[in-house]
Amino acid sequence: MRGQELACRAWQVWEMRGYMAEARRFLQQLDTGDDAPALFFQWAAVIQLRSGDYDAAERLAERGFLAAKREGVLTAQLCALDHRQTCARHRGDIVAALALNPEILALAEQLNDPLTNFQVHNTCGLLALTAQDYPTAKTFFVESAAMARQLGTRDGEAIALNYLGLVALALNEVELARESYTRSMAIIAELGYPRLERAARGGLGGVALVDGDLDVAEQFCREALAISGGIGMGISIAEDLFGLARIRIARELWEDAARVLSIVYRMLEERRVTPPQMVEDALMAIREHLAPARLELLWQTARLQSDEEVIASFPVIG
C-alpha cells in the first residue's frame, strides 16, 4: 500500500509535467482493485476528468469514497464527493450534483476547516445559481462572503460578493446587488485582480440598467468589455456584449441591438454554449421591431466581424 501511495505521488509529478499518456498507463497498471488506497482513486479520477470520460471518473470517485471511508480520512471522502459532483455538472445533471450537497456540507462541518467550509459554500451557491434556485444561492453566497471575511481571504470575499450581486439582481434586490458589487470593487482596488474587476464592473452596469441610468450602465459595460477583451476571457466577452445589447434594447436602438446580439450568439456557438433564456428573450424582443429580412441582413453582416474588431468598436468612454 505504501508503495502504491508513493507511486501515486510520482504520478502527480508526471501529470504536472504534461506526461498525460504515460501517467494514464502508469495508473492503470497500479489498479489492484477495491483494496487500493483512496489516494490512488483520487488521482485516477482526476486523469479521467481531464480526459473527459466523466462516467469512468465517477466510478473511480465512488470507489475512492469507499476507500476513504475504510481509511477514515475525511478529506479524501470530501475529495471523492467533489469529483462525483464535478462529473454530474459536466454531464449537465444538476439534480444529481445538488443531491450531493447535504453530504458534502456535513463532511465540511466535520472537518471544521474554515477554508474548506468557504470553498464548499461557494460551490453549493454556484450549483443553486445554475439551477436558478436564487434564494438558496443567496444564502450560500452571504455565508461564504462572511466566511472569507473572517478568514481574511480578500479575493475569496470579492468572488462571493460578485456572485451575491448577480443573484440579488436575479431576485430584483437592487440595493443588495449595488452594495455587493460596491464592496467587491473596494476590495479589488486593493488587490488589482482584473477578472474580479471585470465581473464587478459588469454587475454595476446591470444595476445601473435596472435604475434606468443608461449612460452609467454603458460606461460600466464598456469598462468590463475592455478588461475581458484585454486578457482574453472568452465567454466573459460575450457576457459583456450582452450587457451592451440590453442597453440598446432599453434605448430602443433595435438595429444596433441586433448587431451586438448576433455577435453574442456567434461567440456562444463557437464555444458550444447554449444561449441562456435571457439571451433568447432579448432576441424575441428585437424580432418584434425588425422585419425578418432586415434582421437577417444585420445578423449575418455583424457576425463577420472578428472579436478584436467588435471590442474595438466599444471604446471606454472618457
Side-chain angles (χ1 to χ4, degrees):
M1 295 282 281
R2 178 63 177 164
Q4 194 168 33
E5 289 180 5
L6 289 171
C8 283
R9 295 193 185 282
W11 172 80
Q12 289 177 251
V13 177
W14 285 13
E15 188 270 342
M16 284 188 290
R17 292 178 178 175
Y19 304 146
M20 300 296 283
E22 293 85 346
R24 191 179 296 109
R25 285 195 296 270
F26 187 53
L27 281 178
Q28 288 170 347
Q29 292 168 5
L30 286 173
D31 192 350
T32 58
D34 291 336
D35 63 339
L39 182 64
F40 165 78
F41 293 114
Q42 175 183 332
W43 288 105
V46 168
I47 197 70
Q48 296 296 356
L49 270 171
R50 294 185 181 178
S51 301
D53 191 341
Y54 303 122
D55 291 335
E58 184 160 28
R59 288 193 296 271
L60 287 162
E62 288 170 351
R63 292 169 67 192
F65 180 73
L66 294 174
K69 286 194 75 171
R70 185 178 65 243
E71 296 168 14
V73 182
L74 294 180
T75 52
Q77 292 176 48
L78 187 59
C79 182
L81 289 175
D82 179 66
H83 285 155
R84 286 180 59 193
Q85 196 169 62
T86 301
C87 291
R89 284 194 297 107
H90 279 294
R91 287 199 307 267
D93 192 347
I94 300 300
V95 173
L98 286 168
L100 292 168
N101 273 355
E103 199 169 359
I104 289 173
L105 286 163
L107 272 173
E109 189 174 345
Q110 279 184 269
L111 276 170
N112 196 29
D113 176 63
L115 180 58
T116 299
N117 256 321
F118 159 70
Q119 292 168 336
V120 165
H121 275 72
N122 235 26
T123 300
C124 289
L126 282 170
L127 283 171
L129 177 59
T130 303
Q132 297 183 10
D133 183 355
Y134 301 125
T136 299
K138 175 185 171 182
T139 299
F140 278 123
F141 289 131
V142 167
E143 291 172 352
S144 64
M147 290 174 183
R149 189 161 55 253
Q150 290 172 353
L151 281 165
T153 57
R154 302 289 279 161
D155 56 336
E157 185 181 356
I159 290 169
L161 286 170
N162 281 346
Y163 281 126
L164 180 57
L166 183 63
V167 170
L169 276 177
L171 291 169
N172 202 30
E173 297 183 19
V174 182
E175 289 310 312
L176 176 59
R178 192 192 321 278
E179 178 192 349
S180 300
Y181 286 125
T182 302
R183 285 171 56 195
S184 176
M185 284 293 290
I187 295 170
I188 292 161
E190 299 174 18
L191 302 179
Y193 289 149
R195 291 174 184 272
L196 296 181
E197 182 182 356
R198 171 258 150 198
R201 289 191 181 278
L204 285 169
V207 170
L209 179 59
V210 174
D211 287 341
D213 195 338
L214 302 184
D215 290 339
V216 172
E218 179 88 15
Q219 176 72 4
F220 275 125
C221 287
R222 287 187 182 221
E223 289 170 350
L225 179 62
I227 295 170
S228 59
I231 58 178
M233 289 179 69
I235 199 67
S236 297
I237 298 173
E239 292 174 1
D240 297 331
L241 285 170
F242 178 62
L244 291 164
R246 290 175 66 203
I247 293 166
R248 275 137 190 78
I249 290 172
R251 295 185 188 275
E252 298 186 358
L253 300 173
W254 303 111
E255 292 199 355
D256 283 351
R259 291 189 187 96
V260 179
L261 196 64
S262 72
I263 298 162
V264 172
Y265 268 89
R266 171 178 64 74
M267 290 182 172
L268 294 177
E269 288 167 6
E270 289 171 353
R271 292 160 178 83
R272 298 180 181 178
V273 175
T274 302
Q277 187 59 49
M278 63 191 311
V279 175
E280 299 282 8
D281 291 344
L283 178 57
M284 289 297 295
I286 292 169
R287 281 178 170 155
E288 291 177 4
H289 294 85
L290 291 179
R294 182 59 180 165
L295 175 60
E296 180 64 20
L297 177 62
L298 293 167
W299 199 264
Q300 296 304 328
T301 303
R303 287 165 72 94
L304 296 175
Q305 287 185 284
S306 68
D307 291 1
E308 293 76 14
E309 289 171 329
V310 173
I311 294 164
S313 68
F314 293 104
V316 174
I317 303 167

